[in-house]
Amino acid sequence: NGGQCVNTTDSAVRLTHIPTGIVISCQDEKSQLKNKDKAFKVLKARLYDKYMQEQNDELAQERKSQVGSGDRSERIRTYNFPQGRVTDHRIGLTLYKLDSFIDGDIAEMIEALLTSDQAEKLNKVSE
């Protein structure tokens, strides 16, 4: 074997990232310093992946709450022409001015939807 040092375990490094509990072991290199550098690079990559995964999960959850289930029974709005009313079922708001709503006077509905959305977000933050 030509006198080469094949036992690299004396330069092995183990890192533990305490906040996440991620453990990285590295004993590929002969130098402890190189093993340490390599272990830190692997740790950075794993933390980045974990962070990205959490962000993607959060975005997916947000998107799901915006899109809904797609079930046909999941009504958003009902327009009742004989009684001249429009109802948004997501927030339970009924306006008795369907004609002006159809003509584009939708500010009151949008305000109520925004208020409801902000209240929902505040509840999630305070949980």
Side-chain angles (χ1 to χ4, degrees), residues 47-119:
L47 286 173
Y48 178 76
D49 287 346
K50 181 178 171 53
Y51 173 73
M52 290 307 286
Q53 187 60 50
E54 285 171 1
Q55 255 190 343
N56 288 340
D57 291 349
E58 206 173 288
L59 282 174
Q61 188 62 42
E62 214 169 278
R63 207 171 287 125
K64 199 178 281 181
S65 76
Q66 289 171 352
V67 173
S69 66
D71 188 1
R72 285 188 63 186
S73 66
E74 186 182 57
R75 293 178 304 175
I76 291 176
R77 229 174 262 131
T78 300
Y79 302 91
N80 186 313
F81 289 90
Q83 295 176 9
R85 72 170 197 248
V86 58
T87 302
D88 194 300
H89 299 285
R90 296 168 295 182
I91 56 173
L93 176 69
T94 301
L95 301 176
Y96 290 90
K97 49 182 186 181
L98 181 59
D99 292 338
S100 60
F101 188 85
I102 295 291
D103 287 338
D105 181 17
I106 60 173
E108 192 176 343
M109 183 72 74
I110 289 175
E111 285 295 317
L113 285 164
L114 285 171
T115 304
S116 169
D117 184 54
Q118 286 170 344

Side-chain angles (χ1 to χ4, degrees), residues 8-35:
T8 56
T9 53
D10 55 345
S11 64
V13 170
R14 174 183 285 142
L15 291 179
T16 304
H17 188 252
I18 292 176
T20 58
I22 294 175
V23 177
I24 309 289
S25 297
C26 187
Q27 54 186 24
D28 304 343
E29 306 293 333
K30 286 193 175 84
S31 139
Q32 192 169 30
L33 209 60
K34 284 183 183 170
N35 276 333

